[in-house]
Amino acid sequence: MTRLRPALGLLFCCGIIGGAASAAYALDLPIRKAGLWELKMVRAGGQLPEMTMQHCTDETTDKDMNNMASPMAKQVCSKQDIQKTATGYVADSVCSMGGMSTTSHALITGDFNSAYTVKTTARIQSGAAGTAAKDTTMTIEAKWLGACKADQKPGDIVMPGGMKMNIKDMEKLKNLIPGLKQ
């Protein structure tokens, strides 16, 4: 099973789904199965092109991602809540960063050893109160592909176009996020 916090933390750090869904939740979720995971992100209505990336992970990497995302979320999120349901988990959060406020609701289902799905709806509002809000819906379909490739190490993320980075380097990027205390 995956620890939702690392998976969403990864997306938060990459700027894919915004701070709301990356919240550090009180409920401890299981660790994702070690190996290579494919994450396919689709926004409803074709707002952005579909994005697929691969992430090589192990237990330590998932724990490290959680530890990295949790302090960031605590600083930018006024609400972080996750509950276990009969079919998975439901997560709700309210976060503000860079003049934008995001309220999100996510449904998480799957066995987390071979595949899981995260369906997120969010309302994003920028600027002062009364500014028009934008609603967005995104689905993340994750599937376990097997062992990491020979040239990969835990934490490696292969982005569209082949760009590779390691999540362990993301800690350094926190300094670039406005309003985030160190």
Side-chain angles (χ1 to χ4, degrees):
M1 263 176 112
T2 183
R3 183 174 286 205
L4 175 65
R5 289 176 282 191
L8 294 178
L10 164 67
L11 298 175
F12 171 73
C13 290
C14 294
I16 296 168
I17 61 174
S22 71
Y25 302 106
L27 180 63
D28 197 27
L29 298 171
I31 300 293
R32 183 166 36 174
K33 182 177 182 176
L36 187 60
W37 284 86
E38 179 180 84
L39 297 155
K40 177 179 164 185
M41 288 152 260
V42 180
R43 287 200 180 205
Q47 298 164 345
L48 290 175
E50 181 179 294
M51 180 188 310
T52 301
M53 60 186 190
Q54 293 183 347
H55 182 210
C56 174
T57 190
D58 63 6
E59 183 176 346
T60 301
T61 302
D62 269 6
K63 286 180 183 177
D64 288 348
M65 288 174 64
N66 176 49
N67 292 336
M68 178 180 64
S70 292
M72 287 189 290
K74 285 178 184 174
Q75 291 179 31
V76 300
C77 300
S78 62
K79 177 182 179 182
Q80 307 172 74
D81 183 48
I82 189 166
Q83 300 295 320
K84 176 102 174 90
T85 67
T87 58
Y89 300 89
V90 62
D92 292 288
S93 61
V94 177
C95 302
S96 296
M97 184 170 61
M100 293 176 55
S101 175
T102 305
T103 302
S104 71
H105 177 77
L107 299 173
I108 304 101
T109 57
D111 70 8
F112 302 102
N113 279 315
S114 61
Y116 62 91
T117 301
V118 181
K119 293 184 180 184
T120 304
T121 55
R123 174 161 281 221
I124 303 167
Q125 187 168 345
S126 60
T131 304
K134 179 180 180 180
D135 293 327
T136 183
T137 302
M138 185 160 87
T139 301
I140 302 168
E141 297 170 352
K143 66 180 176 180
W144 188 77
L145 300 177
C148 294
K149 295 177 182 173
D151 65 339
Q152 294 176 327
K153 62 183 184 283
D156 280 352
I157 303 164
V158 179
M159 302 296 288
M163 183 180 86
K164 184 163 79 169
M165 63 180 147
N166 193 288
I167 194 67
K168 294 174 185 176
D169 296 330
M170 294 292 198
E171 181 70 21
K172 299 169 192 167
L173 296 179
K174 284 194 326 185
N175 296 327
L176 303 176
I177 300 173
L180 201 58
K181 297 174 190 170
Q182 296 302 309

